[in-house]
Amino acid sequence: GENVEQHPSTLSVQEGDSAVIKCTYSDSASNYFPWYKQELGKGPQLIIDIRSNVGEKKDQRIAVTLNKTAKHFSLHITETQPEDSAVYFCAAPYQGGSEKLVFGKGTKLTVNP
Amino acid sequence: GAVVSQHPSRVICKSGTSVKIECRSLDFQATTMFWYRQFPKQSLMLMATSNEGSKATYEQGVEKDKFLINHASLTLSTLTVTSAHPEDSSFYICSARTGAETQYFGPGTRLLVL
């Protein structure tokens, strides 16, 4: 099955700076890569996802890039705000087109005012 | 759109009792629902995959008789923790999937077994 590694485990930035979180995956057949934001005591919220037929996707201050050759994808948050503070998880299909997802271990992002 | 609810949000029970958690997709029909467990400061651990009208598929190491899953309709799945013990205390989260790959998560249920 798929193996997803996520780095860094913690990230602290100043308000207004950019934050980048990177994930690597092992299965070259994986074709769907979502990112979730989880605030304390709440369920994960989908913030952006990308499919393997595109290299980049952007939604306002959030973007995801995908490098299929290197098998890694990254979350980019620009102009960070204190409300961006949360734990972020990347995920990939368990096997190729499997409906199950394998999650990274999470990155705790802290945006300091 | 794509809202998933869970009920209850928090439950405290005595050891030996059973607890039922409901997961509902409010504005879409979910072909598949998933149940996860999350320990503090850890990632999501998939417990089982639930398809409407069929038996759930459990992940390795998850006790089927302990965690009963029923997916009676395209908008409702339930997880029953039977004979709960303190080690079952955790944050349980469901997700629902439409025909595409995207999973939408519920707000979670915090279970505390005394």
Side-chain angles (χ1 to χ4, degrees):
Chain A
E2 178 70 274
N3 181 44
V4 176
E5 294 193 359
Q6 183 172 346
H7 297 280
S9 57
T10 60
L11 179 59
S12 182
V13 300
Q14 288 300 122
E15 183 176 359
D17 288 350
S18 295
V20 180
I21 304 170
K22 181 177 177 179
C23 286
T24 60
Y25 60 98
S26 59
D27 187 351
S28 56
S30 288
N31 56 4
Y32 173 67
F33 307 94
W35 284 93
Y36 289 89
K37 174 184 180 182
Q38 186 177 30
E39 297 177 345
L40 192 63
K42 298 184 179 180
Q45 175 191 4
L46 178 72
I47 55 172
I48 197 167
D49 57 13
I50 191 169
R51 288 172 174 79
S52 58
N53 58 343
V54 298
E56 183 174 0
K57 183 177 179 180
K58 191 173 182 180
D59 183 4
Q60 299 183 338
R61 296 186 296 109
I62 294 172
V64 54
T65 58
L66 171 65
N67 184 325
K68 289 167 56 180
T69 303
K71 289 189 282 188
H72 67 70
F73 56 110
S74 300
L75 176 70
H76 305 255
I77 306 175
T78 59
E79 301 173 25
T80 54
Q81 301 167 3
E83 50 265 39
D84 294 329
S85 296
V87 178
Y88 291 81
F89 292 98
C90 64
Y94 177 70
Q95 265 183 332
S98 170
E99 59 184 0
K100 299 193 298 186
L101 293 176
V102 175
F103 286 83
K105 292 189 175 182
T107 297
K108 182 177 181 181
L109 173 64
T110 302
V111 180
N112 301 300
Chain B
V3 178
V4 178
S5 70
Q6 274 184 250
H7 179 80
S9 58
R10 183 185 298 255
V11 56
I12 301 173
C13 69
K14 293 182 179 179
S15 186
T17 61
S18 294
V19 175
K20 180 185 282 189
I21 302 170
E22 289 187 352
C23 176
R24 294 180 184 273
S25 57
L26 298 185
D27 53 0
F28 67 100
Q29 292 187 326
T31 55
T32 309
M33 288 183 170
F34 304 86
W35 287 96
Y36 294 83
R37 185 173 180 176
Q38 186 177 36
F39 292 105
K41 297 185 179 182
Q42 292 191 22
S43 188
L44 294 91
M45 183 189 79
L46 180 65
M47 300 175 65
T49 302
S50 170
N51 290 291
E52 185 261 343
S54 60
K55 291 184 178 181
T57 302
Y58 291 81
E59 295 301 300
Q60 191 173 7
V62 178
E63 299 177 57
K64 301 178 183 181
D65 296 331
K66 176 75 171 174
F67 300 99
L68 299 179
I69 292 173
N70 183 277
H71 195 157
S73 76
L74 286 173
T75 59
L76 173 64
S77 177
T78 60
L79 168 67
T80 301
V81 183
T82 62
S83 187
H85 290 95
E87 57 266 30
D88 298 323
S89 298
S90 192
F91 192 50
Y92 292 89
I93 317 171
C94 71
S95 71
R97 182 188 130 132
T98 63
E101 307 99 330
T102 308
Q103 287 188 30
Y104 298 97
F105 283 84
T109 296
R110 175 111 17 228
L111 170 64
L112 177 60
V113 184
L114 302 176

